[in-house]
Each structure stands twice: as C-alpha cells, then as structure tokens.
Amino acid sequence: MFPDYVNQLFYIVGEAVVLLILLIIILSVLLALLVLYSFKTGNFLAARAMLLGIILFEGVVKPIFGALRMDDSIVDDVGVRLRNYINNKEFLKVSCRDRTIFMPQCVRSTECPAKLTPEGIKCVSCGRCGIGEAKKFAEGLGYRFFIVPGSSFIKRMIKKYRPKAIVGVGCHMEVKEGLDLCHRYALPARGVLLSQAGCVATTLDWEQFYEAISEGEPCLRPAKNGIAGK
C-alpha cells in the first residue's frame, strides 16, 4: 500500500494524462477540419499555427482521415502548400539568378541516356521526357538546374553554390524533407509535388512547375519556344 499522498499524486497525474489525451484528440479533430477546408478551398487560417499543428499532431490527424476513409496524403499536400504560402513573400524577393532548382531523377525517361557527374545527372535534351525543355526554360530565367541523384547531393550543392532560394520537386516525403532542410539553412523554398510518385518514370504537372518557377522579379520570362517575354 502507498501512503495517501502518493495515491493522491497518482490520481492527479492520471487525471492530467486523460485531460491531455482528450485535448490532443479535440485539437487534432479541429486541425483535420482545417486541413480539409484548406485542401478544398486553397485558403489558410492562421497558417503558421496550422503548420505547427500538422508537425506536432500529424500522427493523430492522419489516422482521423483514415478512419473517415479519406486519403491521408491530403495532410502532406496541405503541409507543403502551407510552407509554400509562408515562404512566398521572401521567395519572391529573390532574383531567379539566385535561385536553384532540384529535380528528382525519377522524372527521367526509363531510356534516358544522361550520365552521372559530380554536378548531378547531366541532361542531354534527348526529348524522351520533359526535363530537357524545363531545364532550358529555367536556365533562360537565370536558375541553376540540377537533376538529383541522391539526398546528400542537395546539401553539397547548397554549400557549393550558396543559392538564396530553392525550388524542389518530388513526392510528399522528399518535398517535406527538402523544405525542412531549407528551413535549417534559412532559405525560402517552394515545393512542387509530383502528380504521380514512384521510383521511376514519375509524372509532373509541367504547367504547374513552369508557373511556380516564373514568379518574382526580376525574372526574364522566355516562352517555351525560346522567344523571350516579360
């Protein structure tokens, strides 16, 4: 038998734990509703607080979506949109000449003839996928453009070239990790999600990509046929 004061302490701690669990569940349900609202409308309420909530309660919010038979990748999608929204003002201040694009190698054609180099996979513009055209367009704006062979490559290129802003393309997990990395480096970043993820021959909404990289001043705006525009 424990002394009365110990039993009383256990009781208080037990009550506190139950109340904490209830609070987490309530906050997670409210957050799930906010995530769903943002996903449907594209609007964000208290963006920074909402992003913090997703970071803290992702492990509870996703099962709520699962229990409702909804795709829990919505949470990741909204998390990326929130980071883009929060980063947008600082990102747009950076000239395209000071921005860098990291494109995942999985977007390449399975018949891609490009070779791996210390500067990543070097596109030869063979026309088998959309990367060659995208690279030409982006470099016309002033970007550095890299095709990423592995995660450590991004850190090396950031340290070598010191970009002031980043555009990263990838699946939910890759973009989340990339945006976290950029946050640690105090770099405003913009994530562009693959429309179909996987290990090879993934797909990307190229119009969305072109729109994402073309914003901001000063950015030249070459048309995809090579004729420069404003």
Side-chain angles (χ1 to χ4, degrees):
M1 293 290 294
F2 291 106
D4 288 342
Y5 71 89
V6 174
N7 289 328
Q8 185 68 19
L9 179 61
F10 284 160
Y11 178 77
I12 293 172
V13 170
E15 279 196 329
V17 169
V18 171
L19 289 173
L20 180 60
I21 291 173
L22 287 174
L23 179 61
I24 290 173
I25 292 173
I26 292 169
L27 289 175
S28 297
V29 170
L30 292 174
L31 183 59
L33 292 173
L34 280 175
V35 166
L36 188 58
Y37 167 80
S38 295
F39 181 76
K40 295 289 187 182
T41 66
N43 297 321
F44 302 108
L45 303 176
R48 292 184 184 277
M50 190 174 166
L51 179 59
L52 179 61
I54 289 176
I55 293 171
L56 293 176
F57 302 125
E58 179 181 355
V60 183
V61 174
K62 282 190 172 182
I64 292 174
F65 275 81
L68 296 174
R69 296 185 179 181
M70 300 178 67
D71 187 356
D72 63 11
S73 68
I74 290 173
V75 182
D76 296 324
D77 186 280
V78 171
V80 170
R81 290 193 206 177
L82 275 168
R83 289 181 184 273
N84 288 346
Y85 176 79
I86 291 168
N87 290 336
N88 192 55
K89 184 176 180 180
E90 293 303 314
F91 179 89
L92 294 180
K93 290 179 181 178
V94 179
S95 165
C96 289
R97 290 181 293 274
D98 293 317
R99 299 179 190 170
T100 293
I101 294 171
F102 291 107
M103 179 73 63
Q105 65 167 330
C106 61
V107 179
R108 297 186 298 155
S109 164
T110 54
E111 300 176 351
C112 177
K115 304 297 183 183
L116 177 63
T117 75
E119 295 281 295
I121 295 168
K122 285 298 180 182
C123 177
V124 296
S125 298
C126 68
R128 290 181 174 91
C129 71
I131 291 180
E133 185 179 358
K135 181 175 184 291
K136 181 179 179 181
F137 180 83
E139 290 178 342
L141 294 174
Y143 281 86
R144 290 186 185 276
F145 189 103
F146 296 105
I147 304 173
V148 180
S151 57
S152 62
F153 174 82
I154 296 176
K155 294 180 182 178
R156 285 198 294 109
M157 293 302 103
I158 289 176
K159 290 179 180 178
K160 180 175 182 179
Y161 290 106
R162 304 290 181 182
K164 295 180 181 177
I166 301 289
V167 176
V169 179
C171 64
H172 288 107
M173 182 183 70
E174 290 168 338
V175 170
K176 282 170 61 180
E177 290 177 353
L179 292 174
D180 286 341
L181 176 66
C182 290
H183 180 72
R184 293 196 294 273
Y185 280 101
L187 291 171
R190 178 171 286 185
V192 180
L193 292 170
L194 295 169
S195 51
Q196 180 179 332
C199 297
V200 294
T202 55
T203 58
L204 174 63
D205 183 335
W206 288 107
E207 290 305 316
Q208 182 186 25
F209 170 77
Y210 288 123
E211 182 180 347
I213 70 173
S214 298
E215 289 188 285
E217 294 294 342
C219 275
L220 300 174
R221 301 192 182 219
K224 282 182 279 182
N225 62 7
I227 301 174
K230 292 182 180 180

